[in-house]
């Protein structure tokens, strides 16, 4: 089966379904991208009249760019709802009845549920005979909380679904610029020759958010930024920056190269944890001029969970020897920004004695958020007669994807991923060995933190994290791009 005709969403009354999944499916349906006769079944724990469920879906669609009352109504009313207690395998029989013989035309399951439900759902589907060769399963993070628990989840899922039918979602891979990073690197001859330690001084990856805990207390506390953001999104970005050229743009080739990078990450230990990582937790402060509470106040108790982390990572292979990859992510920062900055080395010898300005090394910045862009900072001479020395200036070679391509709307990352799932292309999904290699490195950091008792330092909300994060990079003679 190439395109699966039935889509079963577990966690259909949850937050992600409301914010992302239903809007994305709706957008795809408005554009005619879904297979003919496409059928959506929503499943949740709560018993609910189907009509009530439809109204919830409509509410979720209202904020979408393509919202149209009649179309939204038609889309929502076609969705079937099945209330299910996933701990009761016998209840999957009812789901089987609802699905009927649709399996031959393919089914995509989507687990947008707490991870504790993954194994019971898979077992229930298996027991009900709903896991044949024409089925696929997608799951949201977190896949475990360390290497061992992620192996357990992967094994439970793998019992019923072979790896090529498993789609582990990392929504960063659905972002347009992330895919463009691959095209930029391997669709141009200009960059690859200088894409190594001889020419690159360091790499910075920043994912900053202004939001705080946002009512996710039960999930977030005890998990923290390292597991929530670095383990998945940021390591995926790092892997795409650092990987060797795949022989083809397909799921096996690309993921083979990414996993090699993840396996080459140098573990941290208690002797390097304090110098190569910083943990922070937001205190009170202000975002956009509005006062906000501290993490501990939102939580209602003190906690040592980090809402900010900065790590200096090394990829121990020939290409990247000695090149630091500085990663930082935090909540309650001054702006929502995600970007990858490649800092090239200074020219080997400067021939200028500039009258004004100084020679700055080139930087390439790949922006994911707020705008999708690729910028290269380079040196030019300011126009003029230059009496008494040249006037140097830095200008930007700028590709704004929004301006360059007149796309009427910006797609949600999930549209791309849902369509890839339905069509069976898992290039932009994370393979089991990648997740496990990523956890192996993250585990080394968690262990090192524990062994060295690294505290989460308080930073004021609305700032770029604890001062120690500046110290970490400045000791190397570099600085964060703020
Ligand atoms: C999620 C994290 O995976 O990514 C959240 O769990 C975070 O904590 C979110 O807010 C950020 O995603 P985006 O697309 O808004 O950068």
């Amino acid at each position: 089966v190439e395109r699966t005709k039935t889509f079963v969403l577990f966690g259909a009354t949850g937050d992600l379904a409301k914010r992302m999944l239903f809007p994305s499916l709706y957008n795809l349906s408005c554009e005619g991208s879904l297979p003919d006769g496409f059928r959506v079944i929503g499943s949740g724990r709560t018993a609910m009249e189907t009509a009530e469920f439809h109204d919830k879906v409509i509410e979720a669609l209202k904020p979408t760019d393509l919202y149209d009352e009649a179309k939204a109504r038609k889309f929502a009313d076609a969705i079937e709802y099945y209330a299910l207690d996933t701990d009761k395998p016998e209840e999957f029989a009812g789901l089987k009845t609802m699905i009927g013989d649709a399996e031959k035309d393919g089914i995509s399951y989507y687990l947008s549920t707490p991870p504790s439900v993954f194994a019971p759902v898979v077992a229930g589907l298996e027991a009900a005979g709903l896991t044949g060769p024409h089925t696929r399963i997608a799951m949201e993070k977190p896949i475990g909380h360390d290497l061992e628990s992620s192996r357990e989840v992967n094994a439970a899922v793998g019992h019923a679904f072979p790896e090529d039918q498993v789609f582990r979602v990392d929504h960063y891979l659905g972002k347009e610029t992330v895919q463009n990073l691959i095209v930029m690197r391997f669709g141009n001859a200009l960059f690859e020759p200088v894409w190594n330690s001889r020419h690159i001084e360091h790499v910075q990856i920043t994912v900053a958010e202004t939001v705080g805990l946002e009512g996710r207390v039960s999930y977030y506390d005890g998990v923290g930024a390292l597991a929530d953001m670095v383990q998945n999104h940021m390591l995926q970005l790092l892997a795409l920056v650092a990987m060797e050229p795949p022989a083809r743009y397909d799921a096996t080739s690309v993921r083979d190269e990414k996993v090699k990078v993840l396996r080459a990450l140098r573990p941290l230990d208690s002797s390097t944890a304090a110098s190569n990582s910083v943990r922070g937790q937001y205190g009170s402060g202000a975002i956009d001029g509005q006062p906000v509470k501290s993490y501990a106040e939102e939580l209602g108790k003190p906690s040592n969970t980090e809402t900010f982390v900065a790590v200096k990572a090394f990829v121990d292979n020939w290409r990247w020897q000695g090149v630091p990859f500085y990663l930082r992510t935090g909540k309650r920062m001054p702006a929502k920004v995600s970007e990858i900055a490649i800092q090239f080395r200074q020219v080997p010898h400067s021939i200028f004695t500039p009258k004004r300005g100084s020679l700055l090394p080139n930087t390439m910045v790949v922006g994911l958020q707020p705008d999708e862009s690729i910028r290269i900072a380079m040196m030019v001479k300011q126009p003029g007669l230059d009496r008494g020395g040249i006037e140097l200036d830095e200008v930007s070679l700028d590709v704004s994807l929004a301006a360059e391509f007149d796309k009427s709307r910006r797609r949600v990352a999930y549209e791309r991923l849902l369509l890839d799932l339905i069509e069976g292309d898992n290039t932009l999904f994370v393979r089991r060995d990648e997740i496990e290699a990523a956890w192996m490195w993250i585990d080394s950091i968690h262990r090192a933190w524990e062994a060295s008792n690294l505290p989460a330092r308080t930073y004021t909300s609305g700032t770029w994290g604890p001062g120690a994060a500046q110290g970490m990079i400045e000791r190397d003679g570099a600085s964060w791009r703020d």
Side-chain angles (χ1 to χ4, degrees):
V1 174
E2 297 217 315
R3 310 179 88 206
T4 54
K5 274 200 180 171
T6 301
F7 185 88
V8 182
L9 175 60
F10 295 96
T13 55
D15 183 58
L16 187 74
K18 179 172 144 203
R19 283 187 303 112
M20 297 289 169
L21 303 177
F22 285 127
S24 297
L25 285 172
Y26 171 73
N27 288 346
L28 290 170
S29 96
C30 288
E31 289 179 344
S33 303
L34 298 173
D36 289 338
F38 190 70
R39 186 177 166 205
V40 182
I41 299 175
S43 176
R45 244 181 330 189
T46 327
M48 202 186 293
E49 291 297 326
T50 307
E52 188 187 345
F53 179 70
H54 290 163
D55 290 342
K56 275 186 185 291
V57 175
I58 298 273
E59 285 311 305
L61 302 183
K62 280 188 179 157
T64 59
D65 293 341
L66 302 181
Y67 181 76
D68 165 276
E69 205 178 322
K71 277 189 195 163
R73 188 37 82 190
K74 188 163 173 245
F75 172 84
D77 283 355
I79 302 178
E80 295 150 86
Y81 182 73
Y82 185 72
L84 175 73
D85 180 346
T86 50
D87 287 331
K88 298 192 178 135
E90 66 278 11
E91 293 194 4
F92 283 82
L95 185 62
K96 167 88 180 166
T97 311
M98 189 177 242
I99 289 177
D101 68 348
E103 200 231 305
K104 64 177 191 331
D105 295 324
I107 308 175
S108 291
Y109 300 107
Y110 198 108
L111 301 177
S112 170
T113 62
S116 56
V117 178
F118 293 177
V121 169
V122 170
L125 291 174
E126 203 175 11
L130 284 168
T131 57
H134 306 313
T135 60
R136 332 192 150 115
I137 192 159
M139 49 189 165
E140 280 290 332
K141 71 166 212 325
I143 303 202
H145 54 268
D146 58 9
L147 176 61
E148 200 187 321
S149 53
S150 74
R151 280 190 175 141
E152 281 165 20
V153 176
N154 285 329
V157 174
H159 188 257
F161 296 92
E163 181 62 29
D164 63 348
Q165 289 166 237
V166 179
F167 290 66
R168 295 179 194 81
V169 178
D170 184 317
H171 78 280
Y172 264 59
L173 295 182
K175 292 189 196 269
E176 205 57 52
T177 3
V178 172
Q179 298 160 57
N180 245 314
L181 183 62
I182 305 177
V183 177
M184 192 194 69
R185 282 195 61 196
F186 306 120
N188 296 291
L190 267 179
F191 306 118
E192 213 39 35
V194 295
W195 210 258
N196 54 51
S197 63
R198 277 185 54 201
H199 300 282
I200 293 178
E201 206 246 315
H202 73 255
V203 175
Q204 284 183 29
I205 304 180
T206 297
V207 177
E209 302 183 278
T210 53
V211 294
L213 197 47
E214 309 296 298
R216 294 162 86 214
V217 178
S218 59
Y219 158 67
Y220 197 86
D221 196 54
V223 172
L226 184 67
D228 182 47
M229 297 295 284
V230 181
Q231 190 274 338
N232 37 71
H233 311 320
M234 297 188 76
L235 285 186
Q236 283 295 324
L237 298 181
L238 182 152
L240 290 167
V241 171
M243 73 181 179
E244 296 300 313
R248 277 177 296 278
Y249 186 59
D250 65 27
T252 303
S253 314
V254 172
R255 300 188 299 176
D256 281 351
E257 296 307 334
K258 281 194 295 168
V259 75
K260 286 184 208 161
V261 173
L262 297 170
R263 288 196 186 126
L265 286 166
R266 185 187 305 169
L268 266 68
D269 59 32
S270 51
S271 70
T272 51
S275 53
N276 290 9
S277 69
V278 173
R279 308 178 65 224
Q281 186 187 87
Y282 60 83
S284 55
I287 300 285
D288 291 333
Q290 297 300 316
V292 293
K293 287 186 183 162
S294 71
Y295 179 81
E297 278 171 304
E298 285 181 14
L299 191 65
K301 59 174 192 214
S303 158
N304 187 32
T305 297
E306 82 282 352
T307 62
F308 171 96
V309 62
V311 189
K312 179 167 142 186
F314 288 96
V315 178
D316 279 335
N317 62 17
W318 275 42
R319 186 190 283 259
W320 296 112
Q321 204 41 239
V323 179
F325 285 72
Y326 300 103
L327 313 180
R328 84 180 150 158
T329 181
K331 300 207 179 276
R332 291 287 190 230
M333 314 237 87
K336 181 159 175 77
V337 188
S338 304
E339 62 167 43
I340 301 167
I342 313 292
Q343 181 66 61
F344 289 92
R345 294 193 189 281
Q346 184 56 283
V347 295
H349 163 69
S350 169
I351 63 168
F352 305 110
T353 25
K355 187 170 88 184
R356 197 175 306 151
S358 53
L359 206 56
L360 301 171
N362 300 124
T363 316
M364 177 189 286
V365 181
V366 180
L368 282 71
Q369 287 166 167
D371 56 333
E372 298 175 327
S373 60
I374 300 171
R375 267 177 252 121
I376 301 177
M378 55 180 283
M379 297 312 295
V380 293
K381 179 187 100 56
Q382 276 194 21
L385 292 175
D386 295 324
R387 286 299 177 264
I390 254 177
E391 297 196 13
L392 293 173
D393 213 342
E394 189 181 54
V395 292
S396 181
L397 275 181
D398 217 325
V399 182
S400 157
L401 295 169
E404 195 73 24
F405 302 97
D406 177 32
K407 295 288 184 207
S408 47
R409 70 182 183 92
R410 188 174 164 163
R411 277 179 194 281
V412 186
Y414 276 97
E415 291 177 35
R416 164 76 198 227
L417 297 177
L418 286 171
L419 197 57
D420 283 357
L421 164 68
I422 291 161
E423 295 184 342
D425 178 354
N426 44 19
T427 310
L428 296 177
F429 293 81
V430 185
R431 206 166 59 187
R432 175 174 183 164
D433 51 0
E434 290 180 80
I435 292 261
E436 295 184 358
W439 272 124
M440 201 175 285
W441 187 69
I442 296 292
D443 282 0
S444 81
I445 303 178
H446 276 141
R447 272 197 306 270
W449 285 353
E450 210 174 313
S452 50
N453 262 320
L454 205 74
R457 300 161 191 264
T458 307
Y459 59 96
T460 307
S461 281
T463 66
W464 291 101
Q470 316 292 334
M472 182 182 90
I473 191 168
E474 281 165 12
R475 277 197 301 279
D476 295 344
S479 56
W480 295 111
R481 300 165 36 79
D482 284 347

